[in-house]
């Protein structure tokens, strides 16, 4: 009697295509940023909406994606970030060295703490708060005039200039060049950037710079939360951010 040969199960064509589509969806979310809608993800990836939505829900169930807090879209999940970190991630070794300090700061506040790098005159979130999803992350990078993180970069990189037209994301967004110029000058002088309902109604932020040994602004640390909880006149929070900004830089430069 011939011996029965057991072969390990190999993925079929359908499973392989599904896996490929899932990777394409993850790439689309990474490009669009936190808060990407199913419609935008489907459009960018070229995957039909029904298929995209089914796979997005599977990726959420497995922890590769998460729903943003207001359920308006999707963001990369912890498993995807851990995988990215295992192969280098989107954070430099320098900023990862300060992660423990950033976690200490998060333990002291009730809202999200995010660290951004300004390397290459571009905003790059290098330490995202795992407990506070940041909707509209891509908008922060593309509309610098509307966020505390972006305005802080513009205030210290005047050579970047401003777009010909400043897009109003909400009724509070500063779109007059003269008014924005005054705001950027204020940020340079006082060392703190504010954002109140400017990028998204109901969201506010404070950001303070990270300066290297030559006093060059290399990034920022920002507190982002609901309007009313994060206040532009909160001196205690501002001082706390400055204290931890110094500690973060000390770790980076060590």
């Amino acid at each position: 009697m011939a011996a029965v040969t057991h072969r390990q199960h190999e993925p079929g064509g359908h499973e392989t295509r599904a896996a490929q589509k899932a990777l394409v969806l993850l790439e689309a979310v990474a490009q669009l940023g936190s808060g990407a809608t199913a419609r935008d993800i489907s459009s960018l990836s070229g995957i039909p909406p029904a298929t995209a939505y089914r796979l997005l829900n599977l990726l959420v169930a497995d922890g590769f994606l998460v729903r943003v807090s207001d359920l308006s879209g999707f963001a990369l999940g912890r498993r995807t970030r851990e995988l990215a970190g295992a192969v280098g991630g989107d954070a430099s070794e320098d900023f990862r060295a300060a992660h423990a300090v950033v976690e200490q700061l998060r333990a002291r506040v009730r809202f999200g703490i995010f660290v951004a790098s300004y390397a290459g005159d571009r905003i790059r979130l290098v330490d995202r708060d795992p407990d506070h999803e940041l909707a509209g992350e891509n908008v922060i990078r593309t509309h610098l005039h509307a966020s505390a993180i972006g305005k802080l970069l513009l205030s210290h990189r005047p050579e970047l200039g401003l777009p010909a037209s400043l897009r109003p994301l909400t009724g509070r967004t500063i779109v007059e060049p003269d008014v924005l110029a005054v705001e950027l000058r204020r940020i340079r002088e006082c060392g703190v950037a504010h954002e109140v309902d400017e990028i998204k109604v109901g969201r506010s932020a404070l950001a303070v710079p990270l300066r290297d040994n030559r006093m060059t602004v290399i990034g920022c640390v920002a507190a982002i939360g609901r309007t009313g909880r994060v206040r532009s006149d909160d001196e205690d929070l501002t001082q706390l951010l400055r204290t931890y900004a110094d500690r973060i830089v000390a770790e980076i430069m060590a």
Side-chain angles (χ1 to χ4, degrees):
M1 182 175 178
V4 177
T5 301
H6 295 280
R7 296 184 63 185
Q8 187 176 6
H9 173 72
E10 296 180 358
H14 177 73
E15 292 170 309
T16 301
R17 288 192 294 274
Q20 291 171 338
K21 290 177 180 177
L23 292 174
V24 171
L25 291 174
L26 288 174
E27 184 178 13
V29 174
Q31 291 182 23
L32 291 168
S34 182
T37 66
R39 178 180 297 178
D40 289 340
I41 297 168
S42 171
S43 176
L44 180 61
S45 65
I47 297 174
T51 302
Y53 195 73
R54 177 176 60 82
L55 291 175
L56 288 170
N57 284 329
L58 290 174
L59 290 168
V60 169
D62 288 339
F64 290 103
L65 292 177
V66 294
R67 286 276 196 174
V68 297
S69 57
D70 60 2
L71 302 181
S72 63
F74 298 86
L76 296 179
R78 186 181 293 273
R79 290 186 68 182
T80 303
R81 293 174 184 169
E82 289 174 350
L83 179 62
V87 295
D90 62 356
S92 69
E93 289 289 345
D94 289 342
F95 280 96
R96 283 205 295 271
H99 178 70
V101 175
V102 179
E103 286 291 287
Q104 292 171 15
L105 173 58
R106 287 178 179 140
R108 298 189 58 176
V109 298
R110 299 174 297 168
F111 22 76
I113 295 295
F114 296 84
V115 179
S117 164
Y118 292 156
D121 294 334
R122 295 178 60 188
I123 292 173
R124 194 175 174 205
L125 291 181
V126 293
D127 200 324
R128 298 172 174 84
D129 196 316
D131 297 319
H132 295 267
E133 291 303 327
L134 185 58
E137 181 180 318
N138 192 53
V139 179
I140 293 176
R141 292 192 292 265
T142 56
H143 296 81
L144 303 181
H145 65 290
S147 70
I149 293 175
K151 286 189 285 187
L152 190 60
L153 170 61
L154 288 175
S155 70
H156 292 279
R157 301 283 200 282
E159 67 276 9
L160 294 178
L162 297 174
S165 63
L166 301 174
R167 177 183 168 189
L169 301 178
T170 74
R172 297 289 300 275
T173 309
I174 299 176
V175 293
E176 300 83 5
D178 292 345
V179 176
L180 182 59
V182 172
E183 173 74 354
L184 297 181
R185 184 166 60 249
R186 181 198 64 77
I187 293 171
R188 281 194 299 273
E189 293 172 352
C190 71
V192 59
H194 305 145
E195 167 196 333
V196 181
D197 298 333
E198 295 171 59
I199 199 169
K200 181 180 180 181
V201 174
R203 189 172 86 190
S204 293
L206 292 179
V208 301
L210 299 173
R211 300 177 184 271
D212 64 15
N213 295 333
R214 296 176 295 178
M215 297 305 292
T216 299
V217 175
I218 60 174
C220 75
V221 56
I224 303 177
R226 291 186 179 181
T227 298
R229 289 188 177 182
V230 176
R231 306 190 321 272
S232 60
D233 61 350
D234 191 334
E235 295 183 1
D236 290 338
L237 175 57
T238 299
Q239 186 54 49
L240 183 66
L241 292 177
R242 285 174 171 157
T243 297
Y244 275 88
D246 290 341
R247 295 179 185 178
I248 291 169
V249 171
E251 291 294 329
I252 293 173
M253 299 299 169

